[in-house]
Amino acid sequence: MSDTAGNGAVLVVGGGISGLTAALEAAEVGKDVFLIDKNPYFGGRVAQLNQYFPKLCPPTCGLEINFKRIKDNRRIRTYSMTTVKSVSGGPGNFQVELETAPRYINSNCTACGACSEACSSEIDDPFNFGMRKIKAAYLPHEMAFPRRYVLDKQACSDESLSAVKGACKYDAVDLDMQPEVFTLNVSAIVWSTGWNPYDPEKLENLKFSSSSAIITNMMMERLAADNGPTAGKILRPGDDKEPESFAFVQCAGSRDENHMEHCSYICCMATFKQISYIRAQYPEAKIYVFYIDLRTPGKYESFRAKFMDDENIIFIKGKVADIVAENDGGVTVVAEDTLTAKKVNQKVDLCVLATGMQPAIGEQGKAYGLTLDGNGFVVSEPEKGMISAGCAKAAVDVYSSGQSSTAAALKAIQIGR
Ligand SMILES: Cc1cc2nc3c(=O)[nH]c(=O)nc-3n(C[C@H](O)[C@H](O)[C@H](O)COP(=O)(O)OP(=O)(O)OC[C@H]3O[C@@H](n4cnc5c(N)ncnc54)[C@H](O)[C@@H]3O)c2cc1C
């Protein structure tokens, strides 16, 4: 199948907050836009946050308005579960080959949930970082756009598949669905592929898998979220204990030449935000923050100031050397306090690794003709028709992602006019 929208069309790869913004900005000035995402839903990482600063809004407040604008805009065509296979041509005349993975649920789906009820096979919930099991026929999350179920066919028994098929009154389950390859002709490509949490398994001294009391900051977002695995109550995974003490390990993977050299920009602010989640549920909990320096630039200084005087928050300037699992389910965090030159062994009930943002595109970007900087971010090259936006370009917050996506759209619409 080949799909042509004529000269001047823009392909936006990645439908997080950056891609949604770039797509809307380009379409609202009259360009045809194709927006793709590898996930079964749009919204990217912001959809997984509990609240986002500076205003601590739920993600719905930023995303839903964009979804509505996208639904209402006939110039934007969206493709979920879709990735780029190859890129050829050049600015003003790219041919991009794309592949849509089978969802096994077609557009007849009304999201009634009957397939999920009938399904007897389970998977680790990807949206909640495996912190709970869900049925293999599932809606990715409550506010998923498109609002359509997905079937993980490989995870299902034959019995489960026939129950899922039989339960659907709308003929929406298509077990024979195949990957679909198609080509688009576009003038410019906006790369808004965002970031992935740095893999905590690579941080050997932090022993992520040695204890369920060690979680990442993105897992903390899900634990605090009403639509998360614990319905918003922050409980220790594994034994559901209400933690009385917490540790945050800053720069977990960032600013480290053995892992990611860049500062992920957001992690200090994310920790202060997560302290606000803890304070709302556990006013007396002890919180220990192990840091190299605390970076909360510009408008975020006042957000940080709110917590600096809390006598139950102890800031320890020192890089964590080790985390030791204890028999009672907690962990001991080991570090040297560089201000007192004393070794610290701090036992806590729950330890949060503030893992940084790693560019999602990876080495594959080079095969698409992209230039990556030393940290793997996509260099914006409008002269080549390849423009990067948001966290594909640099580790930034939502506000800056919006700005860079608007700038990317402005560049993209000028190519091949
Ligand atoms: C713990 C934590 C908390 C945070 N809290 C806040 C906060 O409170 N406030 C704030 O402003 N910022 C916060 N951030 C930062 C925020 O998450 C980012 O600014 C935001 O996600 C950037 O959006 P994006 O669209 O650029 O990238 P993403 O959200 O990563 O979206 C990228 C999209 O591209 C898709 N994609 C990736 N690769 C491909 C591919 N090859 N093909 C097709 N699609 C692809 C992905 O599936 C995804 O949907 C936080 C970050 C962390 C780590």
Side-chain angles (χ1 to χ4, degrees), residues 211-229:
S211 166
S212 52
I214 308 173
I215 62 170
T216 66
N217 50 7
M218 283 305 286
M219 291 165 81
M220 182 60 148
E221 291 292 331
R222 297 311 308 145
L223 280 181
D226 286 346
N227 64 349

Side-chain angles (χ1 to χ4, degrees), residues 61-76:
C61 82
L63 291 176
E64 278 191 350
I65 179 84
N66 283 323
F67 295 153
K68 180 166 188 327
R69 283 164 73 197
I70 289 207
K71 277 188 237 168
D72 291 348
N73 196 314
R74 305 191 74 186
R75 289 200 175 275
I76 303 178

Side-chain angles (χ1 to χ4, degrees), residues 13-18 37-39 44-46 49 51-53 82-83 192-195 217-218 221 266 270 273-274 357 360 390-391 396-399 401:
V13 183
I17 194 74
S18 301
D37 201 290
K38 68 178 169 48
N39 278 342
R45 297 282 170 197
V46 169
L49 301 178
Q51 296 174 340
Y52 68 105
F53 44 70
T82 300
T83 49
S192 46
T193 41
W195 60 281
N217 50 7
M218 283 305 286
E221 291 292 331
I266 205 80
K273 177 180 64 162
Q274 296 184 350
M357 299 197 272
C391 284
V396 286
D397 59 357
V398 170
Y399 180 79
S401 293

Side-chain angles (χ1 to χ4, degrees), residues 205-207 210-211 213-215 245-250 252 286-291 314 316-326 328-337 342-354:
N205 61 317
L206 303 183
K207 313 228 184 77
S210 69
S211 166
I214 308 173
I215 62 170
S245 54
F246 295 80
F248 285 90
V249 177
Q250 298 306 113
K286 285 267 187 199
I287 302 170
Y288 302 87
V289 181
F290 294 84
Y291 68 98
I314 296 103
I316 299 148
K317 187 172 170 69
K319 215 166 158 64
V320 171
D322 196 6
I323 302 180
V324 182
E326 301 291 354
D328 68 354
V331 289
T332 296
V333 181
V334 182
E336 183 182 312
D337 184 333
K342 287 197 176 129
K343 196 170 174 193
V344 179
N345 286 284
Q346 186 58 57
K347 170 115 194 315
V348 290
D349 288 336
L350 189 63
C351 177
V352 183
L353 307 182

